[in-house]
Amino acid sequence: MNERDQVLQAAADLVSAFARNDREAYFGAFSADASFVFHTLEQPLLSRDAYQALWDSWRAEDGFEVLSCTSSNACVSLQGDVAVFIHDVATELRMQGEQHFSQERETIVFRKHASSLEQQGLWLACHEHLSAMPEGLPPP
């Protein structure tokens, strides 16, 4: 499998884990030093642990649950051991007993890890940026 296909597979695995609420697989797709910028939060999350703590509080306090997540319009740009993955994402969530639907644009930066035998050639997400979909665009 070529590197572009490896990144596409890593992204598909990440989205799939999120869609099925698989906390371990989802967060396992990110490096420990990953950062997260979500348009719904006032400030960036500067580590995987910070995002996991927030996720756990959403689940405990708000009954957070992902009901579905669909990726479309994927684009990959390879930059050596870094890849930029951009896609549109449609997500359905449940929080506080209510269903919420969002359509957003997301950039995920992947970094190829080859420092250990376990992770040789493994693409892990090191940054995620979620943006609101521009006004007036039709749904994907």
Side-chain angles (χ1 to χ4, degrees), residues 5 23-24 36 65 80 84 88 98 104 119 134:
D5 289 342
R23 181 186 183 280
E24 298 307 313
F36 305 85
E65 180 183 10
V84 179
D88 295 336
E98 294 183 18
E104 296 154 312
Q119 295 184 338

Side-chain angles (χ1 to χ4, degrees), residues 20-24 27 52-66 94-95:
R20 65 179 189 275
N21 285 290
D22 185 338
R23 181 186 183 280
E24 298 307 313
F27 286 106
Q52 283 179 296
L54 181 60
W55 173 289
D56 291 344
S57 74
W58 288 339
R59 290 181 82 171
E61 298 167 17
D62 299 322
F64 172 82
E65 180 183 10
V66 180
R94 181 178 296 123
M95 290 187 81

Side-chain angles (χ1 to χ4, degrees), residues 3-132:
E3 289 190 328
R4 181 181 183 282
D5 289 342
Q6 290 172 13
V7 172
L8 287 170
Q9 186 61 57
D13 292 346
L14 186 154
V15 170
S16 175
F18 181 77
R20 65 179 189 275
N21 285 290
D22 185 338
R23 181 186 183 280
E24 298 307 313
Y26 176 62
F27 286 106
F30 293 95
S31 61
D33 64 348
S35 56
F36 305 85
V37 176
F38 301 137
H39 67 97
T40 55
L41 298 179
E42 291 181 15
Q43 59 191 20
L45 301 168
L46 301 179
S47 70
R48 181 180 63 198
D49 287 347
Y51 183 18
Q52 283 179 296
L54 181 60
W55 173 289
D56 291 344
S57 74
W58 288 339
R59 290 181 82 171
E61 298 167 17
D62 299 322
F64 172 82
E65 180 183 10
V66 180
L67 303 175
S68 68
C69 184
T70 306
S71 171
S72 61
N73 300 321
C75 176
V76 174
S77 173
L78 291 169
Q79 307 289 327
D81 286 343
V82 172
V84 179
F85 173 81
I86 301 168
H87 67 146
D88 295 336
V89 62
T91 306
E92 191 173 3
L93 306 171
R94 181 178 296 123
M95 290 187 81
Q96 298 177 335
E98 294 183 18
Q99 287 184 233
H100 301 273
F101 181 77
S102 62
Q103 293 186 169
E104 296 154 312
R105 183 160 293 145
E106 182 174 53
T107 301
I108 303 172
V109 179
F110 288 89
R111 183 173 61 225
K112 189 172 185 178
H113 288 258
S115 59
S116 69
L117 291 177
E118 298 120 21
Q119 295 184 338
Q120 189 164 357
L122 179 67
W123 290 91
L124 291 177
C126 61
H127 180 74
E128 179 178 350
H129 187 119
L130 188 64
S131 303

